[in-house]
Amino acid sequence: MSTALKNNIKDGFKSHYCHKAGRFCKGDTELPLLFEISTMINNTRFIKDIMAPVMELVARYLDAERSILSILNREVSKILIEASYGMSYDDKKQGRYLVGEGITGNVVKSGEPIFIDKIEGAQGFVNKTKMELQTKNNKDISFVIVPIKVDNEIVGTLSISRVYDERVNKNELIRILSVIGSMLAQAVRAKQDRMEEIERLKNENKKLHLELENRFSYENIIGNCFKLREVFKQIEQVAKTEATVLIRGESGVGKELIADAIHYKSNRASKPFIKVNCSALPETLIESELFGHEKGAFTGASEVKKGRFELAQGGTLFIDEVGELSATMQIKLLRVLQEKQFEKLGSSKTINCNARIITATNRNLEEAIVEGEFREDLYYRLNVFPLYIPPLRERLNDIPILADHFIQKANKKNGTNILRISSSAIDALMIYKWPGNIRELENCVERAAILSTDQVIRIENLPPTLQTAESSSTLNKGTLQIIVEKVEKQLIIDCLTVKKGNVLQTAKQLKISNRKLGLRIDKYNINVDKYKGKVI
């Protein structure tokens, strides 16, 4: 507030009267006030910094005990006090009104100003801010409030309370407040937009947290067999601890989903959850992915990069297929587990590691240790809390509910409308050994849902590998060679689907050489590109 304006307030404003009717008014001295407000608005980068000073300016100029600026938050349909003069912080926090509630709410609803001569006993004055209804000298208090508008849309209100004076020109007081409100309107609209954006972000954050809680509840890990219930029990036991977890199980049993559940049931649930699959990354890149690198650390390192350990600070790092790490990387991982420290490639600066480690593998690490392919000391560091996930063939009773779940998922994903699965198809699913586990079952159900023509998955919709000769009516059709070739072709296609068109991994899964697999792909005219990038 300028010195000149302070002197104006002190010397002139408080004793000013209109000459027209001998009534108390401020009309002749408002220009310095408006100029000062305009200057404050133009000279600030952050509007919030001048809101409170402007309210003090308004209160002093209009001889008010209080001045209040409120903003309408349309996201929650509430009117909140943004800035004030002459009231405590606690009272300010209480000033929350619904549209149509109290005097403030009615002004926002109607868009019309309200002047109350004496607030004591005034109808509709809810007094949430605990305002004194009379002065200490038992003088009455007046209250005046005007809407703040932008393009005829109400964005907030401006109000004052002052000692009742019968000489006050009510219309002029309303006019002055309205002028000040119009000067603040764009600032109020900007603040309203920011306030509502924050509210939207809060709601989105709550929604995402709720989705995460639902996603990683046990209701979404489908199955109810005894072995799976034991897994749930172990998750509850280890989740709240800081212990390193090693998830064991065959490919496709859902190890990643178990890791998700451990993280989101832990005390680190709100922190980052970072994942890395060792088998999906070339050995030359795995160190950079895990630890990061500095600019120029190697050819192609054009900028600084954070590794997965650094990204997971405060949260959890899930290292999948840890059994595929090279001997060099095993040593580096062992150091992080022992010392809780690491360095980026090309840097000598040591970074402290505050990430919980969860690992998973489908390899028999004990055999790998005997064969010299995995370090024994690293094994014991990882194997603090082993968690074994049973393969699908050991939980056959879960197959019917898993099938129903995948039917609903396929319907949503592909627009199919499968209503049920036939008993003969269920029997075939129960007999099969499921080397690909849950992932293979999901692919099988999705394929069958697409092939079905009558909203029912029948045995003829299942892959040939799941069909018996009798049930599929192929017992006496074709020679043995033809039947074997059909089965062989389907096996290759199914495996290519699971491995997303990766011929090397498909050959490894089928336990044949790359050359033999290539010959069979050519023989059966299989288009490998068709299966690359397929979601499984």
Side-chain angles (χ1 to χ4, degrees), residues 35 63 77 91 202 283:
F35 177 77
D63 305 334
S77 298
D91 290 346
K202 285 181 180 178
E283 185 177 342

Side-chain angles (χ1 to χ4, degrees), residues 47-252:
I47 293 297
K48 66 178 182 178
D49 294 339
I50 58 101
M51 290 294 194
V54 168
M55 288 301 98
E56 180 181 358
L57 199 61
V58 169
R60 292 185 182 278
Y61 173 72
L62 297 175
D63 305 334
E65 305 293 323
R66 280 185 173 189
S67 59
I68 300 173
L69 176 69
S70 296
I71 298 179
L72 171 63
N73 186 329
R74 293 164 297 185
E75 285 292 313
V76 293
S77 298
K78 286 185 179 180
I79 306 146
L80 312 174
I81 295 178
E82 173 61 25
S84 65
Y85 172 78
M87 62 191 304
S88 69
Y89 175 81
D90 290 336
D91 290 346
K92 178 182 172 182
K93 298 298 288 185
Q94 295 298 320
R96 296 169 174 261
Y97 305 88
L98 298 173
V99 175
E101 179 186 18
I103 303 299
T104 302
N106 277 311
V107 169
V108 171
K109 183 177 181 180
S110 66
E112 298 296 329
I114 292 177
F115 193 110
I116 301 175
D117 282 324
K118 300 176 182 180
I119 58 174
E120 187 174 30
Q123 185 177 3
F125 193 80
V126 295
N127 198 19
K128 286 190 173 184
T129 60
K130 300 177 182 178
M131 173 181 162
E132 295 292 339
L133 303 182
Q134 285 188 328
T135 67
K136 293 179 180 180
N137 299 327
N138 296 322
K139 292 183 178 181
D140 289 314
I141 303 285
S142 298
F143 182 77
V144 56
I145 179 170
V146 300
I148 299 175
K149 300 180 181 179
V150 175
D151 299 329
N152 291 320
E153 181 183 353
I154 297 172
V155 294
T157 65
L158 178 61
S159 64
I160 62 168
S161 57
R162 65 190 307 278
V163 176
Y164 170 70
D165 189 335
E166 62 181 5
R167 299 170 298 174
V168 166
N169 186 326
K170 299 178 182 178
N171 291 331
E172 185 166 312
L173 198 53
I174 289 174
R175 181 186 65 78
I176 293 174
L177 281 178
S178 297
V179 171
I180 296 171
S182 66
M183 295 178 68
L184 297 172
Q186 290 299 334
V188 171
R189 164 53 66 85
K191 180 63 179 179
Q192 181 189 52
D193 290 341
R194 287 194 294 272
M195 181 189 297
E196 292 173 349
E197 178 64 20
I198 290 172
E199 195 67 39
R200 282 192 289 271
L201 290 172
K202 285 181 180 178
N203 292 334
E204 184 177 347
N205 185 267
K206 289 179 181 177
K207 181 180 177 182
L208 289 173
H209 272 290
L210 183 61
E211 287 178 357
L212 287 173
E213 289 174 4
N214 291 336
R215 179 182 175 188
F216 298 109
S217 67
Y218 293 137
E219 294 176 359
N220 294 288
I221 302 178
I222 308 301
N224 193 39
C225 70
F226 173 77
K227 289 188 176 182
L228 200 57
R229 290 199 302 271
E230 284 296 305
V231 172
F232 295 159
K233 182 179 177 181
Q234 290 177 317
I235 291 174
E236 292 289 349
Q237 291 172 328
V238 76
K240 300 297 183 182
T241 73
E242 293 295 310
T244 302
V245 180
L246 175 61
I247 304 174
R248 309 286 296 268
E250 298 177 5
S251 178

Side-chain angles (χ1 to χ4, degrees), residues 351-369:
I351 300 174
N352 292 323
C353 176
N354 179 26
R356 182 185 188 177
I357 309 300
I358 300 176
T359 60
T361 184
N362 59 9
R363 289 191 67 185
N364 187 324
L365 295 184
E366 291 79 9
E367 289 184 1
I369 291 171

